[in-house]
Amino acid sequence: MKEQEKKPWSKHRKLRGRFGIKSFRTELILTIFFMMLLTSTFTVLAYIPLRMLLPPLKNFNGIATSIAVLVACTVIGTCVSAFLTKWVLSPLNEMISATDRIAKGDFKVHIQETFHERSDFGILQRSFNHMASELDGIEMFRNDFINNFSHEFKTPIVSIQGFAHQLMAGGLTPEEEREYVRIIAAESDRLAKMANNILTLSKLENQAIVTDKTVFYLDEQLRTCLVVLEKHWSGKNIELNLELEEVKYCFNEPMLSQVWMNLFGNAIKFTPVGGTVSCSLHTDGHTVTVRISDTGIGMDEATCRHIFEKFYQGDTSHAGDGNGIGLTIVQRVLVLCGGKIEVESSLGCGSAFTVTLPATVLHGNEAIESNEKER
Amino acid sequence: MFNILVVEDDFNTRRLMCAVLERYGYHPIPATDGVDALEQLDKKHVDLILLDIMMPKMDGFEFTHILREGGNSLPILMVTAKETPADKHRGFIIGTDDYMTKPVDEEEMILRIAALLRRSRIVSERKLTVGSTVLYYDSLTVRTDGEPVGAAGGMELPQKEFLVLFKLLSYPNKIFTRRQLMDEIWDMESESDERTVDVHVSRLRDRFRDNDDFEIITVRGLGYKAVYLK
């Protein structure tokens, strides 16, 4: 019995080297199982009949023969079970080592899809490869984001630092001094806004559920946003055209407010003096539609497709004071509430953003979302 | 000349705030944390407190709490980097009058300080003066003739009308939506709707048609605002 136990251990040391320690227990169990199965099978099928069929053997020393046969069975059994274990476990081992590589950060692994696509293991293999390619995609996206982000941060810092040094060095005309100081102030403002925006976006992206929901009037929220922005639209003599139905809504109020602040802010920013910003709100019981439009400079089709991307700005010289994150935040909030946003625009005429939200159904002070009710 | 206590532990930030306040004609009194601020309050007359939250020894929340517990109702404007809604709520619950997050727009800060000082005076004196028009809160009376309240003459207004006028004139140039006016002045359970506000405003306009100290302006689609005519 001691010999039986020794064999599996040495085999494991070898296998451990080849397949990695993760499958140790499985291999051990499987190996012992196979070995015992085969040994007992051989014993029953070979030894005992042999003994009966070959009477001369009876003359041999029984114990020696038994040990000899036992050893032979063990060796054969071990070889067979080694082969079987390898055959059964190697795909699993391959997946285990591939998973280790992903854990270390190499997302380009790909395992051979050797099993039929409808078998359980085949499905597992294909899912694994799919997961690896998704992770690879995210990694690429993350690198892009980091690159964009550093660029967005560094650009204003370069200006601030550079112009500050120029001012310290002296020897400038008063106009130049004023201009440089103005640039430092403007770039600092931009940096401050961007820090806030990025923080907001990070928080939203890490959020899967919405908390702090309250019931409020959507029309009132839209009006309040415009009141807050009063300085901006009245300063440009922009006319407001409002058609707001009274709509009660249940959601995280400040989050949704950001959506309107961004959309109104953009509408006002891109509309020239004397233009018009319109807003309409209505509901049909299932869906709430908010449309914010302006008579501003508009966008071409290519720009429309990219505006929701992070850091994207139609005007690439950053002459405006935005960061390109506003609409990304808008889209993220809408995803969290089950809504969506569409844009129509034409250059020189203006743009219109249509936001659709699922209506909330209220019973007394409780709000039930209409899609939940339908479930 | 208003005395403003500036409680802020960061040297440069404190210096910056004091410089801004001086430029706008206020007299800043610097303090480095809550403990120092309490000492200053004992020694000097203060009209308003600019308060940071994250400070050593005693933070802004604790300071406000101590002040309010002690019955002091000086206006407090919290200016802080803490900007989550939870922090804001805590600030208001503990007793601040207003809350701004850093970095602040200095113009906005000055405007808020002015508004807080104004309201504080209105609250303590229970009257509001616009040019030669004076509104007396306790008696719901408006005088335009320079005579003190109680003397013959002067207009007493129905309560709701007076309150609407008082609110609009307390915050000149601020747009109020009809619902905001209703929520603040009418009962929550009231049957009136937003049309009622319109009726009251048009009555006010009739009464004060000849008044050249102020005017109530309709902002189409949004609401009303009062402007001072100087």
Side-chain angles (χ1 to χ4, degrees):
Chain A
M1 290 313 275
K2 277 189 226 158
E3 275 148 345
Q4 271 177 315
E5 275 165 39
K6 244 198 232 164
K7 288 289 180 184
W9 285 114
S10 60
K11 183 160 72 71
H12 274 289
R13 269 200 290 279
K14 260 190 277 167
L15 279 176
R16 225 189 284 169
R18 279 157 86 191
F19 293 121
I21 205 165
K22 296 287 187 303
S23 52
F24 186 76
R25 212 178 347 176
T26 321
E27 287 189 18
L28 181 59
I29 293 170
L30 270 175
T31 308
I32 292 178
F33 171 74
F34 275 125
M35 253 195 48
M36 295 181 86
L37 178 67
L38 289 165
T39 311
S40 36
T41 313
F42 273 118
T43 311
V44 167
L45 294 178
Y47 176 56
I48 294 172
L50 267 174
R51 269 204 92 198
M52 297 204 296
L53 288 174
L54 299 167
L57 285 181
K58 271 198 190 159
N59 296 332
F60 283 107
N61 186 342
I63 295 175
T65 321
S66 304
I67 291 174
V69 173
L70 219 52
V71 166
C73 287
T74 308
V75 167
I76 297 171
T78 306
C79 295
V80 173
S81 58
F83 171 75
L84 279 176
T85 323
K86 184 177 165 197
W87 182 59
V88 167
L89 289 181
S90 84
L92 205 56
N93 280 317
E94 195 193 343
M95 194 171 279
I96 289 170
S97 59
T99 310
D100 277 342
R101 289 199 359 241
I102 287 197
K104 290 198 179 82
D106 173 12
F107 301 124
K108 297 219 182 313
V109 295
H110 181 90
I111 53 175
Q112 297 273 37
E113 288 163 11
T114 49
F115 279 67
H116 191 268
E117 66 187 33
R118 273 203 288 248
S119 72
D120 290 326
F121 201 73
I123 294 173
L124 182 60
Q125 283 179 321
R126 279 160 187 77
S127 299
F128 182 89
N129 283 331
H130 181 65
M131 172 189 78
S133 64
E134 285 285 301
L135 284 170
D136 199 25
I138 292 177
E139 175 71 0
M140 196 164 53
F141 180 74
R142 190 168 68 131
N143 284 332
D144 273 349
F145 174 68
I146 289 177
N147 285 333
N148 268 338
F149 181 76
S150 336
H151 179 261
E152 290 299 312
F153 245 131
K154 285 185 185 160
T155 311
I157 290 179
V158 162
S159 292
I160 293 170
Q161 207 179 27
F163 286 113
H165 285 158
Q166 289 295 308
L167 285 165
M168 280 200 309
L172 301 164
T173 67
E175 289 80 33
E176 278 173 336
E177 279 189 2
R178 260 196 304 276
E179 173 68 7
Y180 290 3
V181 167
R182 189 196 63 77
I183 293 176
I184 291 176
E187 292 294 281
S188 305
D189 281 340
R190 202 170 117 206
L191 212 50
K193 273 200 199 111
M194 182 164 76
N196 278 332
N197 275 341
I198 298 258
L199 204 58
T200 308
L201 192 58
S202 275
K203 273 192 269 184
L204 286 175
E205 285 187 332
N206 284 323
Q207 206 172 354
I209 50 165
V210 183
T211 53
D212 293 322
K213 289 193 189 181
T214 52
V215 178
F216 56 93
Y217 285 97
L218 209 46
D219 51 310
E220 190 66 7
Q221 189 180 52
L222 289 163
R223 277 188 213 104
T224 311
C225 289
L226 284 168
V227 169
V228 170
L229 291 167
E230 197 231 333
K231 213 173 26 159
H232 301 276
W233 50 260
S234 68
K236 281 169 111 173
N237 264 334
I238 288 177
E239 200 184 297
L240 295 179
N241 203 338
L242 307 172
E243 272 174 40
L244 310 172
E245 271 175 33
E246 191 180 279
V247 177
K248 257 190 178 163
Y249 206 70
C250 176
F251 196 65
N252 181 309
E253 209 177 328
M255 229 190 248
L256 199 52
S257 172
Q258 283 217 294
V259 171
W260 317 130
M261 289 296 285
N262 262 302
L263 292 173
F264 281 133
N266 282 342
I268 295 169
K269 187 160 72 164
F270 292 109
T271 300
V273 172
T276 312
V277 167
S278 317
C279 177
S280 71
L281 161 67
H282 66 263
T283 176
D284 63 3
H286 282 301
T287 317
V288 176
T289 312
V290 178
R291 189 163 193 271
I292 295 178
S293 60
D294 61 70
T295 56
I297 56 180
M299 306 174 275
D300 59 24
E301 213 188 293
T303 315
C304 281
R305 266 181 275 135
H306 293 295
I307 44 173
F308 294 104
E309 286 167 24
K310 286 188 236 224
F311 299 122
Y312 185 86
Q313 283 179 278
D315 165 16
T316 50
S317 69
H318 292 326
D321 66 341
N323 303 119
I325 305 186
L327 286 174
T328 315
I329 291 179
V330 162
Q331 198 170 46
R332 183 66 201 158
V333 172
L334 290 177
V335 159
L336 284 171
C337 77
K340 63 181 188 3
I341 182 167
E342 274 155 12
V343 57
E344 304 150 45
S345 179
S346 51
L347 274 176
C349 300
S351 316
F353 286 85
T354 309
V355 172
T356 36
L357 306 164
T360 52
V361 177
L362 297 139
H363 285 267
N365 280 326
E366 261 176 54
I368 308 167
E369 279 168 35
S370 62
N371 50 8
E372 253 181 50
K373 194 179 170 224
E374 277 158 18
R375 238 183 267 153
Chain B
M1 174 78 110
F2 290 108
N3 287 351
I4 314 238
L5 185 62
V6 179
V7 192
E8 163 66 65
D9 65 321
D10 180 72
F11 180 75
N12 281 334
T13 312
R14 194 171 61 238
R15 208 167 134 197
L16 179 61
M17 282 192 183
C18 291
V20 170
L21 287 171
E22 270 173 22
R23 221 155 62 76
Y24 282 90
Y26 295 105
H27 178 238
I29 300 172
T32 50
D33 54 56
V35 173
D36 189 15
L38 287 172
E39 279 170 24
Q40 299 286 339
L41 274 175
D42 277 337
K43 290 190 255 174
K44 303 185 185 145
H45 168 75
V46 168
D47 296 297
L48 181 142
I49 305 174
L50 261 189
L51 183 62
D52 183 25
I53 294 183
M54 299 198 274
M55 297 182 292
K57 288 202 219 153
M58 188 193 288
D59 71 12
F61 289 133
E62 214 188 312
F63 174 80
T64 309
H65 183 69
I66 289 180
L67 221 60
R68 295 300 185 230
E69 286 290 289
N72 188 314
S73 56
L74 272 178
I76 294 180
L77 171 55
M78 280 185 174
V79 178
T80 173
K82 278 162 109 52
E83 38 103 55
T84 66
D87 296 317
K88 256 196 189 163
H89 292 163
R90 191 169 165 212
F92 280 113
I93 286 173
I94 268 192
T96 188
D97 295 282
D98 208 348
Y99 195 104
M100 289 182 81
T101 49
K102 291 179 187 157
V104 296
D105 173 20
E106 40 177 75
E107 225 187 273
E108 193 186 337
M109 183 178 83
I110 294 294
L111 286 170
R112 284 181 192 242
I113 287 176
L116 281 172
L117 286 169
R118 213 165 166 277
R119 272 208 294 296
S120 156
R121 209 175 63 228
I122 293 174
V123 162
S124 58
E125 296 177 23
R126 320 279 287 169
K127 75 177 188 198
L128 195 166
T129 311
V130 186
S132 48
T133 306
V134 187
L135 274 72
Y136 297 92
Y137 194 88
D138 294 325
S139 53
L140 304 178
T141 316
V142 183
R143 301 201 69 94
T144 50
D145 52 7
E147 296 293 309
V149 70
M155 225 186 302
E156 190 182 324
L157 266 54
Q159 190 202 35
K160 301 276 192 289
E161 264 185 54
F162 181 87
L163 291 174
V164 170
L165 184 64
F166 197 87
K167 176 118 248 146
L168 287 171
L169 288 176
S170 295
Y171 298 79
N173 296 311
K174 179 163 150 63
I175 303 177
F176 284 88
T177 61
R178 291 172 179 79
R179 169 154 270 123
Q180 272 175 312
L181 289 171
M182 263 186 56
D183 283 347
E184 296 199 32
I185 293 173
W186 272 260
D187 279 323
M188 290 303 184
E189 311 299 319
S190 157
E191 292 297 312
S192 345
D193 64 15
E194 296 171 355
R195 298 288 139 246
T196 320
V197 178
D198 295 337
V199 165
H200 282 277
V201 171
S202 77
R203 282 200 209 132
L204 282 168
R205 279 188 175 135
D206 275 340
R207 279 188 212 269
F208 296 99
R209 206 175 327 145
D210 301 323
N211 187 304
D212 48 6
D213 291 317
F214 67 86
E215 195 188 332
I216 299 179
I217 296 186
T218 307
V219 184
R220 200 158 66 92
L222 289 178
Y224 296 104
K225 69 177 180 180
V227 289
Y228 291 3
L229 307 168
K230 283 279 160 60

